Amino acid sequence: MKSYTICLVGLDLQQTIVVGGGKVASRKVEGLLAAGAKVRLISPELAPELQILADSGQIETLVRNYAEGDLVGAFLVIAATDDPQVNQRVWAEALRNGCLINVVDDPTHSNFTLPAMVRRDELSIAISTGGGSPALARRLRERLEALIGPEYGILGGLLAELRPELVAAYPPGEPRLQAALRVVDSDILDIIQKQGRDAALTYGREQLHR
């Protein structure tokens, strides 16, 4: 299945709905919260980790079965129940309402699929097989997680902090790109690991203005 990969932003301003309360739904909710989403969960039963999120106010819950009309005003919907008939009803209502909808493990009844993700703070890497092989996506994610440690997340934050200086010092296009790459290709990752963030920020600034 051909796909076009995007990164959604501003999910804190949109309504996201997850239908289902088991382990699969829990994983989907975890990913949505990591992206800053405002999540409403609909399920008559909640897995313990979902109950913790509900009790702490991190998600809104409707502790009942899904009902027609629950998706009014939703932007993004994930159907993650173990009942195919319920999932199909969610899919049908989502289409009528113009929602983004993912039915777990059913790409033919989804208008988006969820890639396997490697997250390092604000840095995220998506691996997608277009819904064709979640197993392959998982194995690739595991390999990337071993290669790309937490220092890359710190580096992403440092580069974001240095970006205003980069924009002020270099014109758009190749000069700005090459200046940024000079920082990325330097010894900054090693300094993050051995000396910490503050030392790496000073070093990165020196490389930027070299």
Side-chain angles (χ1 to χ4, degrees), residues 10-25:
L11 290 181
D12 57 320
L13 304 176
Q14 305 284 356
Q15 183 64 66
T16 297
I17 294 179
V18 177
V19 182
K23 291 187 179 299
V24 174

Side-chain angles (χ1 to χ4, degrees), residues 65-71 79 83-96 101 103:
N65 290 318
Y66 158 79
E68 185 76 22
D70 280 345
L71 307 188
D83 187 332
Q85 292 185 341
V86 172
N87 288 343
Q88 291 307 300
R89 287 169 53 209
V90 174
W91 154 254
E93 183 182 353
L95 284 189
R96 290 195 300 272
I101 167 70
V103 178

Side-chain angles (χ1 to χ4, degrees), residues 114-117 127-129 133-142:
L114 291 165
M117 297 295 300
I127 306 104
S128 174
T129 61
S133 179
L136 174 59
R138 174 176 174 171
R139 281 293 181 255
L140 291 173
R141 173 182 59 80
E142 289 171 348

Side-chain angles (χ1 to χ4, degrees), residues 22 25 39 47 68 87 105 124 138 148 152 158 180 187 191-192 195:
V39 178
E68 185 76 22
N87 288 343
D105 291 333
S124 60
R138 174 176 174 171
I148 299 172
Y152 282 88
L158 291 177
D187 294 326
I191 292 174
I192 289 171
Q195 301 181 43

Side-chain angles (χ1 to χ4, degrees), residues 15-54:
Q15 183 64 66
T16 297
I17 294 179
V18 177
V19 182
K23 291 187 179 299
V24 174
S26 180
R27 291 199 301 270
K28 304 307 179 184
V29 168
E30 180 183 1
L32 288 166
L33 291 178
K38 180 174 64 176
V39 178
R40 176 183 297 158
L41 183 82
I42 303 171
S43 177
E45 298 180 354
L46 305 182
E49 56 269 30
L50 289 171
Q51 188 64 60
I52 291 171
L53 293 174

